[in-house]
Amino acid sequence: MPRLETVDFWLDAAPGPLLPQVRDALAERGEPLRWAITAVLPAAEGSRPQRRLRIEAVLLLIP
């Protein structure tokens, strides 16, 4: 029987478009019904360009 689950996690985003990266990260966990980027931490100066995104989502889990 399908069930709903709420998740929140940090995603280390690579340079480039964010949408495919977020969708791929969510697909690893289940079928996203809703999701949002709720926080962004920019890359530190002098480090490789990488942002951290906090993702909150409601997923449909089908066994």
Side-chain angles (χ1 to χ4, degrees):
M1 174 124 185
R3 65 184 174 92
L4 297 177
E5 182 174 310
T6 58
V7 296
D8 62 273
F9 59 94
W10 285 97
L11 172 66
D12 293 325
L18 293 176
L19 186 57
Q21 296 179 59
V22 172
R23 285 183 175 163
D24 289 345
L26 289 167
E28 292 174 1
R29 293 166 168 81
E31 179 67 33
L33 298 177
R34 311 178 64 141
W35 61 270
I37 298 171
T38 58
V40 177
L41 296 176
E45 287 187 38
S47 69
R48 60 187 179 136
Q50 188 168 11
R51 302 157 286 184
R52 294 196 74 199
L53 309 174
R54 182 160 186 108
I55 309 294
E56 295 181 16
V58 176
L59 303 174
L60 179 63
L61 301 179
I62 302 172

